[in-house]
Amino acid sequence: MAAVGNGAAGGGVDTKASFRQIYDTLKEELLTDPAFEFTAESHQWIDRMIDYNVLGGKCNRGLSVVDSYKLLKGADVLGEEEMFLACTLGWCIEWLQAFFLVLDDIMDDSHTRRGQPCWFRLPEVGSIAVNDGIILRNHISRILRRHFKGKPYYADLLDLFNEVEFKTASGQLLDLITTHEGEKDLTKYNISVHRRIVQYKTAYYSFYLPVACALLLSGENLDNYGDVENILVEMGTYFQVQDDYLDCYGDPQFIGKIGTDIEDYKCSWLVVQALERADENQKCILFENYGKKDPACVAKVKNLYKELNLEVVFQDYENESYKKLIADIEAQPGIAVQNVLKSFLHKIYKRQK
Amino acid sequence: MAAVGNGAAGGGVDTKASFRQIYDTLKEELLTDPAFEFTAESHQWIDRMIDYNVLGGKCNRGLSVVDSYKLLKGADVLGEEEMFLACTLGWCIEWLQAFFLVLDDIMDDSHTRRGQPCWFRLPEVGSIAVNDGIILRNHISRILRRHFKGKPYYADLLDLFNEVEFKTASGQLLDLITTHEGEKDLTKYNISVHRRIVQYKTAYYSFYLPVACALLLSGENLDNYGDVENILVEMGTYFQVQDDYLDCYGDPQFIGKIGTDIEDYKCSWLVVQALERADENQKCILFENYGKKDPACVAKVKNLYKELNLEVVFQDYENESYKKLIADIEAQPGIAVQNVLKSFLHKIYKRQK
Ligand SMILES: [Mg+2]
Ligand SMILES: [Mg+2]
Ligand SMILES: [Mg+2]
Ligand SMILES: [Mg+2]
Ligand SMILES: [Mg+2]
Ligand SMILES: [Mg+2]
């Protein structure tokens, strides 16, 4: 079987090109799926819907399946078959993300996503987007069935996607009922609630899932990788804390947007830290100004963050997290697994965007 | 192991009581699922959300898993373990239905369901209902994993629910884009579109799924039951044609509601038959009056149905369907399978509600 070469590490140019090509194959298979008799109109709808929602992102999660698998194998170059399967699992994660985002945008009443109107904002789409989200989720099952049924790890793969989806939807629920508009109640925000929302809503599918896919593809039993799961979920939490920090302190030119977590009443790591450190007076300032669009209110919150030295609190958190993560990683028995985890960590440590 | 007796056929009193009891067990397991760390608030939310959406229906689909399994085994009484498993699969279908209905009501902008406001209509719920729908779907995977992982047919069970969900969501898409408000276009309606919508949106999950669950539980390979699948999908189509007929001609006292398919511009079997039989003049009447709330318009459509003798067209269809279904059923090799299929058919043949 011909080898698909890729010299560069971390989703090099060749990997990206192969990855993109496999998207076309997967989409074509979905559009000729014998489990449904497409009409011309529904064929065209699904074709456009997939392109609109699955493409347009950076594919970090998807590509990291391929990178992780290479590190686990200790190989820079993969055979055609295993390259195809690794990319396919990567695309399943991209499809999962598309499913989450289509529905999240509806629930958050958002306007734009990846530089274009949210799918449900298109006048001809509207609430049909709810069903399109479901269809995107179903595409994952169709893809897995077509390419993995019969493999010894097929049931584990279905279980993995199911369990990660369940955790994500549960984290989403927690986020929705905690940060529910209408009854703004800062007393609900604390570090334990923040950790739970972040771990379930983001960390499992963004950090654990790509590595778990690569492990299954390598023939490993996930029951033996509980530590790896915990480390990746910790890393995902650290990543989201950075995200919360950069929303306020990052350079909009780097991040590509102007943060609005304060205006949006987000359960951000910063406000949670502020609440923990504020005296009664300072708490009043937060209660009165957090979650308001008025720039004067936002300025008062930012000022309080400064008084409470949150920038330094964050640097300390970042340094501590890094030390702890490195120690945990180096306590892992296998070198290949250590490499996978370090590769993830070094992609995000001290990032500015 | 103790036997759970049930003398009566067709979901007798005892079966219904056992079935209901198992619901409590399944819900309790979901609420203590270690895959998510519930807060008090999210625990309470899910508890209420499940009761609100899964209960309140007639449980025909769920109970028919138990009935079908008994007929396949040729046993009137099941052991405790197999009774539990059959009821559990039945509840998975009820959960699937709840998932579809929660989201369908959002997309149809409906007001009531099973005699109470639609879940998303509750002021504290709103668009969170989208995520709740997803969670209901995820509960099925959690239930199957807890009670069926390790069984030889576990992967087939996951595949079955996935494939039926995919067909249903695809049928729903077809329905949504065909009968889309805004661009009312009766020329899109014809018997082939009607058949596709009905088969995919309703027949697979309502008729095929319960029997397929019972077959898997009996250790059968579904690949050997393609004919059974086709017969059940045909039966589901016949059932929906009855539903469309009764919407216009049924006794509201029996059906429990006043039909509004004409006002709602539904792709009903009746309008499809009318379009096929109408001359140019009659077509004009349909184009001008179908899908309007005005009682005078509705009366004109009903009058046209009378002119076209649709009541007789329906009786003929019903008789032909029955004859064809009985012939197909009696061509099946196994008597037990024939009994399952006949039991379904006799529950619905010439029904008045
Ligand atoms: Mg959002
Ligand atoms: Mg959101
Ligand atoms: Mg952010
Ligand atoms: Mg509806
Ligand atoms: Mg509908
Ligand atoms: Mg109806």
Side-chain angles (χ1 to χ4, degrees), chain A residues 33-39 41-42 45-46 99 103 106-107 123-125 127-128 130-132 134-135 138-139 141-142 145 149 154-156 158-159 162-163 165-167 169-174 176-178 180 188 193 195-196 199-200, chain B residues 33-39 41-42 45-46 99 103 106-107 123-125 127-128 130-132 134-135 138-139 141-142 145 149 154-156 158-159 162-163 165-167 169-174 176-178 180 188 193 195-196 199-200:
Chain A
D33 190 330
F36 181 60
E37 300 167 69
F38 285 95
T39 56
E41 218 185 346
S42 54
W45 182 283
I46 296 292
F99 152 63
L103 300 185
I106 296 171
M107 290 183 275
E124 68 277 30
V125 179
S127 71
I128 298 178
V130 172
N131 197 62
D132 286 332
I134 302 304
I135 288 180
N138 278 273
H139 283 163
S141 314
R142 304 307 299 160
R145 189 184 146 101
K149 189 171 176 72
Y154 178 58
D156 292 326
L158 295 181
D159 283 348
N162 285 340
E163 179 151 347
E165 183 193 356
F166 173 68
K167 286 178 195 290
S170 299
Q172 177 77 317
L173 174 68
L174 203 54
L176 289 164
I177 65 181
T178 307
H180 200 254
K188 283 190 195 164
V193 163
R195 183 191 58 78
R196 264 192 268 207
Q199 289 191 354
Y200 288 102
Chain B
D33 190 330
F36 181 60
E37 301 165 68
F38 285 95
T39 55
E41 219 185 345
S42 55
W45 183 283
I46 296 292
F99 152 65
L103 300 184
I106 297 171
M107 290 183 276
E124 67 276 27
V125 179
S127 71
I128 298 178
V130 172
N131 197 62
D132 287 331
I134 302 305
I135 288 180
N138 277 273
H139 283 163
S141 314
R142 304 307 298 161
R145 189 183 146 103
K149 189 170 176 74
Y154 179 58
D156 291 326
L158 295 181
D159 282 349
N162 286 339
E163 180 150 347
E165 183 193 355
F166 173 68
K167 286 177 194 289
S170 299
Q172 176 77 317
L173 174 69
L174 203 53
L176 289 165
I177 65 182
T178 307
H180 201 254
K188 283 190 194 164
V193 162
R195 185 192 56 79
R196 263 193 268 209
Q199 289 191 353
Y200 287 103

Side-chain angles (χ1 to χ4, degrees), chain A residues 24-301:
Chain A
D24 293 326
T25 305
L26 297 174
K27 193 181 76 168
E28 187 54 31
E29 287 172 353
L30 291 168
L31 288 169
T32 51
D33 190 330
F36 181 60
E37 300 167 69
F38 285 95
T39 56
E41 218 185 346
S42 54
H43 185 281
Q44 202 190 340
W45 182 283
I46 296 292
D47 188 348
R48 177 174 174 227
M49 190 276 286
I50 298 176
D51 281 345
Y52 197 96
N53 294 297
V54 178
L55 297 180
K58 293 180 294 295
C59 293
N60 283 336
R61 293 169 183 79
L63 287 166
S64 68
V65 176
V66 185
D67 293 341
S68 299
Y69 183 70
K70 282 182 183 169
L71 288 167
L72 286 174
K73 296 265 298 186
D76 223 31
V77 173
L78 299 178
E80 197 178 332
E81 166 89 8
E82 45 180 9
M83 182 66 180
F84 181 84
L85 294 179
C87 289
T88 296
L89 291 181
W91 277 114
C92 285
I93 301 179
E94 295 296 322
W95 246 269
L96 189 70
Q97 156 106 328
F99 152 63
F100 291 141
L101 298 183
V102 165
L103 300 185
D104 182 69
D105 286 341
I106 296 171
M107 290 183 275
D108 291 345
D109 203 26
S110 298
H111 286 267
T112 56
R113 163 75 64 191
R114 294 170 173 171
Q116 60 184 5
C118 300
W119 177 241
F120 85 96
R121 291 280 172 197
L122 300 191
E124 68 277 30
V125 179
S127 71
I128 298 178
V130 172
N131 197 62
D132 286 332
I134 302 304
I135 288 180
L136 288 168
R137 173 60 182 93
N138 278 273
H139 283 163
I140 299 169
S141 314
R142 304 307 299 160
I143 293 170
L144 293 179
R145 189 184 146 101
R146 183 185 281 256
H147 295 289
F148 294 91
K149 189 171 176 72
K151 307 245 183 240
Y153 54 86
Y154 178 58
D156 292 326
L157 207 45
L158 295 181
D159 283 348
L160 173 66
F161 274 89
N162 285 340
E163 179 151 347
V164 168
E165 183 193 356
F166 173 68
K167 286 178 195 290
T168 308
S170 299
Q172 177 77 317
L173 174 68
L174 203 54
D175 188 24
L176 289 164
I177 65 181
T178 307
T179 72
H180 200 254
E181 287 285 336
E183 34 166 326
K184 293 186 178 173
D185 180 6
L186 272 189
T187 61
K188 283 190 195 164
Y189 290 1
N190 60 59
I191 192 68
S192 140
V193 163
H194 179 268
R195 183 191 58 78
R196 264 192 268 207
I197 293 175
V198 166
Q199 289 191 354
Y200 288 102
K201 199 181 76 160
T202 308
Y204 275 99
Y205 93 87
S206 303
F207 284 76
Y208 173 60
L209 184 56
V211 176
C213 282
L215 284 166
L216 285 179
L217 195 57
S218 309
E220 297 294 323
N221 182 337
L222 294 180
D223 292 343
N224 303 328
Y225 289 89
D227 287 352
V228 169
E229 173 174 336
N230 292 334
I231 291 169
L232 286 160
V233 169
E234 268 316 300
M235 229 186 280
T237 307
Y238 163 56
F239 180 84
Q240 184 59 44
V241 172
Q242 289 176 314
D243 192 83
D244 290 353
Y245 176 81
L246 292 169
D247 188 89
C248 183
Y249 294 106
D251 183 342
Q253 298 233 294
F254 267 46
I255 315 174
K257 63 176 177 190
I258 295 162
T260 57
D261 281 358
I262 295 172
E263 290 90 327
D264 296 345
Y265 193 68
K266 286 281 166 68
C267 182
S268 159
W269 183 84
L270 291 171
V271 76
V272 165
Q273 294 302 322
L275 283 166
E276 221 163 66
R277 286 167 173 75
D279 60 28
E280 287 310 309
N281 257 332
Q282 291 169 319
K283 270 191 187 154
C284 282
I285 294 175
L286 278 177
F287 278 73
E288 271 164 33
N289 296 286
Y290 200 71
K292 303 216 165 112
K293 303 278 168 221
D294 181 355
C297 296
V298 176
K300 277 182 198 156
V301 173

Side-chain angles (χ1 to χ4, degrees), chain B residues 104 108 172 175 201:
Chain B
D104 182 68
D108 291 344
Q172 176 77 317
D175 188 25
K201 199 181 75 160

